[in-house]
Amino acid sequence: MLTVLAPVLLGLVFSMHAAAQGTTATYPVKPIRMILAFTPGGPADATARPIAQGLTERLGHQVIVDHRPGAGGNLAAEILAKSPPDGYTFMLTTPGVVAVNPTLYGKVPFDPIRDFAGVTNAVTTANIMIVHPSLPVKSVKELIALARARPGQLSYATAGNGSASHLGTEVFKTITKVDIVHVPYKGAAPGVIDLMGGHVQMMIIGLAVGLPAVRGGKVRALGVSSLTRSPAAPEIPTLNESGLPGFEVVNWMGYIIPARTPRDIVSKLSAEIRAVLQVPETRERLMKQGLEPAGNTPEEFDAFIRSEIAKWSKVVREAGLKPD
């Protein structure tokens, strides 16, 4: 019986392998979901939209942007971790989600190394420090002096616990020894809206969200968080040249996918995203918002994420940060 069945079983194995290879080779054959951990209108949205549009054109199937804000990005990451590893669900992440939250929250419903694989870094961006126009400060030094004179009376908005805006401001607080109160939001846009309304006094947020508010006269810019001035706003000084030498908090956003996704699908998706980032119209659209196109291989992005986990987990522990 075994002698009779062996060729049949062997043929079945080979046919299943061939079918799997065929599915991978023809990927994609249906729409793809791109999960975002934040609300519409923020830096993640500004990054995702042009890339989703470019991928839709290149792949011939729609790439749907799915906003899943909440719990500092943990909700979106949990959805990704539980998604089938078939290439049809991936996520635009920030360092806050994969490199900060596991240490900040102590326990999260995912493991960034075990559950996810890197696809490619998408963009890097400087942040901008903005304040409400009613605040009697026009420079970083004046803000520091006011905060020291009124400990615990000023508040700052962020895009959520563990976000770049949260960490950037905590670094600012540590360096300057000021006491300002954290007010987390479910995304960058709601925080900026409350800042414009005067409900909070300051915010460190991505250029893509902060610049329109500055240029609309709704908030005042004090500086950008990169070591050199941003090409998107060369008129705004850096915090480095405004009394905080060496201050640098630069954000990045990149794509991750369920860890067991076939490597050739991961490689294809990575190559397609990098191709979109090289399209002149896409690059111009991103750079106008202070988003610098990046792009690297899955292997390079995996290594980068591991280095970010080591860096930011140390910052969280040393600063004693806790979710608000």
Side-chain angles (χ1 to χ4, degrees):
M1 179 67 69
L2 289 176
T3 303
V4 172
L5 287 178
V8 176
L9 294 173
L10 187 61
L12 179 60
V13 169
F14 277 116
S15 64
M16 291 174 64
H17 177 72
Q21 289 295 101
T23 301
T24 299
T26 57
Y27 168 85
V29 296
K30 62 181 182 179
I32 301 171
R33 178 169 63 151
M34 181 194 296
I35 300 174
L36 263 64
F38 304 102
T39 55
D45 195 41
T47 300
R49 295 292 171 179
I51 293 176
Q53 179 182 339
L55 283 176
T56 296
E57 294 170 357
R58 290 185 62 86
L59 297 175
H61 290 276
Q62 186 175 8
V63 176
I64 303 165
V65 177
D66 183 9
H67 293 274
R68 295 299 184 100
N74 291 339
L75 175 61
E78 182 179 11
I79 292 171
L80 183 70
K82 294 179 178 179
S83 296
D86 56 8
Y88 290 97
T89 303
F90 68 122
M91 174 178 163
L92 182 67
T93 188
T94 65
V97 178
V98 293
V100 175
N101 286 1
T103 303
L104 179 68
Y105 285 87
K107 184 178 181 181
V108 293
F110 61 90
D111 183 303
I113 301 300
R114 181 197 63 212
D115 295 330
F116 305 134
V119 179
T120 186
N121 197 0
V123 299
T124 59
T125 178
N127 297 297
I128 184 171
M129 178 182 283
I130 51 180
V131 299
H132 190 266
S134 66
L135 205 65
V137 300
K138 294 186 177 180
S139 69
V140 176
K141 290 182 179 179
E142 290 180 356
L143 174 63
I144 295 170
L146 180 65
R148 286 174 177 169
R150 296 164 55 183
Q153 297 181 39
L154 302 183
S155 59
Y156 73 96
T158 73
N161 288 302
S163 63
S165 52
H166 180 200
L167 293 175
T169 314
E170 287 297 327
V171 171
F172 171 76
K173 287 173 59 178
T174 300
I175 292 173
T176 60
K177 305 295 191 294
V178 298
D179 178 13
I180 50 180
V181 180
H182 180 207
V183 182
Y185 290 82
K186 287 187 176 181
V192 172
I193 289 171
D194 260 17
L195 175 60
M196 292 190 295
H199 303 294
V200 289
Q201 286 72 53
M202 66 165 288
M203 189 174 194
I204 295 179
I205 194 60
L207 282 167
V209 178
L211 270 183
V214 171
R215 289 173 174 160
K218 303 295 185 180
V219 298
R220 179 182 301 128
L222 300 186
V224 295
S225 66
S226 50
L227 291 177
T228 58
R229 296 195 182 199
S230 170
E235 73 280 7
I236 300 176
T238 66
L239 298 179
N240 174 58
E241 64 185 276
S242 302
L244 296 176
F247 188 96
E248 181 184 29
V249 179
V250 178
N251 194 17
W252 57 264
M253 286 174 275
Y255 289 101
I256 55 176
I257 202 164
R260 296 185 304 280
T261 305
R263 291 306 294 176
D264 48 354
I265 286 182
V266 176
S267 296
K268 180 174 182 177
L269 187 57
S270 176
E272 293 293 348
I273 294 171
R274 283 180 279 148
V276 170
L277 290 170
Q278 293 302 314
V279 175
E281 293 79 6
T282 303
R283 294 182 64 84
E284 182 180 2
R285 183 174 170 184
L286 292 170
M287 293 179 72
K288 279 184 177 179
Q289 301 182 80
L291 301 165
E292 297 280 343
N296 54 10
T297 67
E299 294 74 20
E300 290 168 340
F301 194 39
D302 275 332
F304 176 71
I305 289 175
R306 284 181 170 82
S307 70
E308 288 287 280
I309 292 171
K311 179 176 75 173
W312 288 113
S313 60
K314 181 180 178 182
V315 170
V316 171
R317 286 193 299 267
E318 291 181 350
L321 300 183
K322 301 293 182 182
D324 292 287

